[in-house]
Structure formats: C-alpha cells, structure tokens
Amino acid sequence: MTKLHNHESKAVKLNEKKISLVIPVYNEEDNLPELFRRLLPVMESLERSYEIILINDGSKDSSLPLMLREQKSHPQTVRVIDFNGNFGQHTAILAGFKSAKGQSIITLDADLQNPPEEIPKLISLLDEGHDVVGTVRKKRKDSFFRRYASKIVNKIMNKVTGFSIHDYGCMLRGYSREIIDIINECGEVSTFIPALAQKFAVNPIEIEVSHSARTAGESKYNLFRLIRLQFDLMTAFSMFPLQMITILGGIIFAVGVVLACLGIFGHALSFLLAGIVTTCTGITGEYTGRIYQEVRKRPRYVIRKIYEEGNNV
C-alpha cells in the first residue's frame, strides 16, 4: 500500500513539472507545417503540462502567419514572440528563456534536422537530476566540409574555454529551471548558450541524438555567420587569445633581438611581423568591440508583439 502511494505521489510530482519548449524561427515556412505535425504528438505523449514558445526572429517569408495559425489552434500551449527584426538565434532563445515558465526547458531548431522525437530522452535525464543535457549529433547528414570544420572548431573551443563539449553546434538541448534562472540574470549582449549553461552546470551530461538532412529551406548559417559565432564563443568565455598575444609579443621581441645580433634582416621577416601584428590587432579589436557593445546598454532584442492566450501585447 505504501509503495503504491509513493508511486502515485511520484506521478503527481512529475505532472507538476511543466515543460517549456523554446524554438527560434527564421524563414522556415517550408519546415513549420511538418514540425507542428510531428511535435504535438511527442509533447502529448509525455503526459505532462507543456508550453511551446516560438520566437519569430525577423522572418521575411510566411513563417509568422504559420506560427500564428498554430497559436490560434492551440492557445493554451503555444505562445509566439514576434521580434521587430533579426537579432540572431541565440538572442531569440534568450527571449524564450525569459518567457519560459517550465521546470524543464528544451531548445530545438525549426529545421527538423534534430528530430522532435528525441525530446523524451532529454526530459528523462532532466527528471533524473541532470541540470544540463547536451547532445552530440550522431551520423550527421551535413556536408563533409561542415562536419570536418565542426570537429576542428569543437576541439579548439574546448582548449580555449576549458569546457568539454563535443558538439557546440547542436541546439537540441535540455536545461533545468535553476540553470535558466542563472542565464536570465546574465546581462551580456553577445553570448553562446550551450557554453554559458555548461559554465554554471553542476551535473551535466551529454547524449547522442539522431540527425536528419535538411529537406526544405536553406541553412541560415553562412561562413561569415559561423565565424562570427565562434568569435562570440571565444571572447565571451576565455582570455586565452589575449594571453597568447602577450606570449607571441615576447617571442617576436626575442627573435628580433637574436636577428639583430646576427645582422640578419629581410623583407620576408617584415611581412611575417606585419601579418602577426595585424592578427593581434584584430583579436584585440574583437574584445574591445564587445566591451563597447556592453557599455552602450542597448537592449538585446525588441519585441513587436506577444501572441498568447488572453493577452496580445
């Protein structure tokens, strides 16, 4: 009898743990109908209260009307946050975090490359007490260049930041309420959410999740955006590049002294030093530019309207 009572109490407790699903959306009109078709049965199968928070990050196609149609069909569970412009994926997720009311928070891209059917795995691990559930894409369906570049970036970033994240680019991730509350208190303009969560995690875990080829639409990350994102990650979580500049400066000075003593000079050395100086100036400028962004105190994003049950502001 006692065992039965404990089992029922545990079931009630799980039902009280609401799930918030945060999905940033930018020009995904081709994927949204299929996403909604597959997502809602998954959420219902969890037999828990849940909310789906869709953030329209300045879409120029019909993504917003599709999201609003879904919100009207499911007003109790779907909320739409409409930005007045494009502020970026991580900024959109931060807006979703501010709005999330659940005890377990899941982030998911709208492009269906990470199947929503994987969500129950993450919820189960959060229920077990893990505060961050990271994911690694298994058998990635991206191009060879994208996969190879990702491996290099993951290794470099782990060295620079001191973290141990095997797939920085996979945004299907789970977070506890405690981690989200800490992230919501952070005020920096440029950040990288998986690394920020890892910094505060006490009991993180990583699991493999399946990965699908993009069947519709185009990737929103071109080479420039990817490089910019890596700079955000590097400068937000490490002083290592600046420290390397100091070390490099000392090495250059020592080499210069030796060459001067030997009487060896040349144009090649001049070009080499010019390249090093330019690179160092660029890295220093990245940090300086981010300091400038922070002291301006501009808002991270501007919300045009929130669509939810009984309240459109």
Side-chain angles (χ1 to χ4, degrees):
M1 188 72 174
T2 304
K3 287 184 179 180
L4 178 61
H5 176 72
N6 289 339
H7 180 74
E8 289 175 349
S9 298
K10 187 176 181 182
V12 171
K13 190 173 181 182
L14 284 177
N15 282 329
E16 289 175 351
K17 292 184 68 175
K18 187 172 188 175
I19 301 167
S20 295
L21 184 61
V22 176
I23 306 177
V25 178
Y26 178 62
N27 293 344
E28 292 290 356
E29 62 180 4
D30 294 327
N31 289 308
L32 285 176
E34 178 66 8
L35 173 66
F36 296 142
R37 186 189 69 79
R38 292 168 56 183
L39 182 59
L40 292 172
V42 171
M43 300 307 292
E44 291 293 336
S45 71
L46 295 169
E47 298 182 345
R48 298 254 284 271
S49 62
Y50 68 89
E51 61 180 359
I52 299 172
I53 304 170
L54 303 164
I55 304 94
N56 179 41
D57 188 23
S59 297
K60 294 176 179 143
D61 60 4
S62 61
S63 292
L64 180 58
L66 289 170
M67 287 186 276
L68 295 181
R69 185 176 70 187
E70 198 65 27
Q71 193 276 328
K72 282 187 176 182
S73 299
H74 304 87
Q76 294 182 332
T77 55
V78 177
R79 186 180 318 130
V80 176
I81 299 174
D82 182 25
F83 282 176
N84 76 342
N86 178 241
F87 292 90
Q89 180 191 40
H90 289 258
T91 301
I93 291 174
L94 288 173
F97 285 170
K98 282 284 186 182
S99 179
K101 300 170 184 174
Q103 295 302 307
S104 299
I105 295 86
I106 305 293
T107 57
L108 176 71
D109 285 339
D111 58 13
L112 286 173
Q113 287 198 267
N114 292 126
E117 290 79 10
E118 297 279 21
I119 291 173
K121 283 186 189 177
L122 281 68
I123 294 298
S124 177
L125 290 166
L126 290 170
D127 287 343
E128 290 176 12
H130 295 285
D131 50 4
V132 170
V133 182
T135 53
V136 180
R137 289 167 286 189
K138 180 173 60 178
K139 296 180 181 178
R140 285 183 61 178
K141 300 300 189 294
D142 292 323
S143 65
F144 173 78
F145 170 78
R146 193 78 177 264
R147 296 196 309 272
Y148 187 72
S150 181
K151 285 183 180 180
I152 294 174
V153 167
N154 288 333
K155 287 182 180 180
I156 292 174
M157 288 307 163
N158 280 334
K159 289 287 185 183
V160 170
T161 62
F163 297 139
S164 182
I165 298 175
H166 293 88
D167 192 348
Y168 281 88
C170 187
M171 292 308 293
L172 172 60
R173 293 177 180 270
Y175 307 98
S176 69
R177 179 78 257 171
E178 291 75 18
I179 292 296
I180 295 303
D181 287 342
I182 296 171
I183 290 176
N184 285 340
E185 291 179 8
C186 297
E188 63 256 43
V189 175
S190 299
T191 193
F192 194 93
I193 290 168
L196 190 61
Q198 190 77 8
K199 182 175 180 63
F200 301 121
V202 176
N203 187 22
I205 189 172
E206 274 191 338
I207 61 170
E208 285 190 335
V209 292
S210 58
H211 188 249
S212 303
R214 178 182 269 274
T215 57
E218 297 179 354
S219 173
K220 307 307 180 293
Y221 278 101
N222 54 31
L223 182 60
F224 174 76
R225 279 177 175 259
L226 288 170
I227 292 173
R228 181 179 173 184
L229 199 61
Q230 300 315 313
F231 270 113
D232 283 344
L233 174 57
M234 179 179 67
T235 56
F237 296 97
S238 177
M239 298 295 289
F240 178 78
L242 289 177
Q243 293 163 349
M244 284 303 299
I245 288 175
T246 304
I247 295 171
L248 186 59
I251 293 173
I252 292 173
F253 177 77
V255 171
V257 170
V258 171
L259 292 177
C261 292
L262 296 175
I264 300 174
F265 303 96
H267 295 296
L269 179 61
S270 298
F271 278 106
L272 174 64
L273 293 178
I276 293 173
V277 169
T278 302
T279 302
C280 294
T281 302
I283 293 174
T284 306
E286 285 290 333
Y287 280 94
T288 305
R290 278 156 175 74
I291 294 171
Y292 177 56
Q293 284 183 322
E294 297 292 340
V295 300
R296 286 185 304 188
K297 297 293 182 184
R298 292 180 181 174
R300 286 172 170 168
Y301 51 82
V302 178
I303 296 174
R304 179 161 45 195
K305 187 175 284 191
I306 298 176
Y307 300 87
E308 59 184 348
E309 185 183 26
N311 182 32
N312 291 343
V313 298

